[in-house]
């Protein structure tokens, strides 16, 4: 292994500068690389984060690209050793980061087009990077239609930010839960129950979708029934990324390395891969 190859595995230090609880299980972490340099990520990309002495895991970057500042955000669900250790962190503690890695949503292809964001479960986390990029450059994009679904109201995240989106007159927000409770006054049903309520022009509509795998085929079927081209449907396929650079093969999908050829794919390019969707 050459020194250049080894360098790709070496994490660089970053410091936790802010921590905000989003739900009982999800926390938003703001990190600053100790180098002072911006992460230079694109919407949809991920990083590898090391908790020293615990392990390393991949996380989607939830904040938009920020060339003028060096902080970046990760929203993380507490589910294993690395994420439990992250949730126990205090502001000022250090982590190691590698990346950003993987493909991104092709922002320029969305310019002048309407965008439907379809976020199932924790899918809002990676989509938030693209959404906030479009909001920062609002004049360059057409309609912004945001569809969010989760299992129950207690699993909702970024609640205050979603309220702010709903208050805007240039963003359309539709939200649903699979099972409501006494606190929930909104739509109850799967995320596929939202799309029929939205008038679209399929010729100028792009779809960016992140969620559980079972969601994709049903939403894609609806999108195609509405006339949206498979060329304009983008999905993020998250697999068990380990190395992040296409060497270990843990994230392979029928020969595709999701960490370098994905995680963002155009549906047209993966529709014949049976393990993809």
């Amino acid at each position: 292994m050459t020194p250049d190859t080894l360098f790709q595995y070496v994490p660089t230090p970053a410091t936790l500068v802010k921590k905000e609880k989003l739900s009982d299980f999800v926390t938003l972490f703001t990190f600053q690389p100790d180098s002072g340099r911006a992460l230079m990520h694109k919407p949809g990309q991920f990083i590898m984060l090391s908790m020293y002495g615990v392990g390393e895991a991949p996380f989607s970057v939830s904040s938009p690209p920020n060339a003028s500042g060096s902080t970046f955000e990760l929203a993380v669900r507490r589910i294993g050793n690395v994420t439990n250790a992250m949730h126990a962190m205090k502001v000022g503690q250090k982590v190691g980061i590698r990346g950003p890695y993987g493909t991104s949503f092709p922002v320029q292809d969305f310019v002048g087009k309407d965008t439907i964001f379809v976020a199932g479960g924790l899918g809002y986390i990676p989509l938030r990077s693209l959404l906030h990029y479009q909001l920062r450059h609002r004049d360059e994009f057409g309609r912004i239609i945001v569809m969010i679904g989760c299992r129950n109201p207690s699993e909702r995240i970024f609640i205050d930010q979603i309220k702010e989106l709903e208050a805007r007159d240039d963003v359309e927000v539709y939200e649903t839960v699979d099972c409501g409770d006494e606190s929930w006054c909104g739509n109850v049903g799967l995320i596929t129950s939202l799309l029929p309520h939205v008038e679209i022009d399929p010729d100028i509509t792009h779809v960016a979708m992140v969620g559980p795998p079972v969601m994709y085929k049903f939403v894609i079927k609806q999108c195609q029934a509405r006339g949206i081209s498979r060329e304009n449907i983008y999905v993020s396929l998250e697999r068990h990324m380990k190395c992040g650079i296409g060497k270990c093969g843990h994230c392979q999908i029928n020969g595709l390395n999701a960490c370098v050829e994905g995680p963002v794919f155009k549906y047209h390019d993966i529709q014949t891969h049976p393990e993809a969707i």
Side-chain angles (χ1 to χ4, degrees), residues 9 15-16 25 63 68 75 140 154 201 220 222 248 251 266:
Y9 291 98
T15 303
L16 177 65
F25 298 99
S63 49
S68 61
E140 298 179 18
S154 69
D201 180 346
I220 289 171
Q222 279 196 345
C248 71
C251 61
K266 184 181 289 187

Side-chain angles (χ1 to χ4, degrees), residues 12 24 48 79 137 165 241 243 269:
T12 57
D24 288 343
M48 301 299 297
I79 196 170
H137 304 271
L165 290 177
M241 281 87 159
C243 70
D269 296 335

Side-chain angles (χ1 to χ4, degrees), residues 4 13 30 34 38 88 92 118 182 185 188 212 220-221 267:
D4 286 346
T30 304
D34 288 5
V118 182
E182 64 279 358
C185 301
V188 176
I220 289 171
K221 186 176 180 180
Y267 175 58

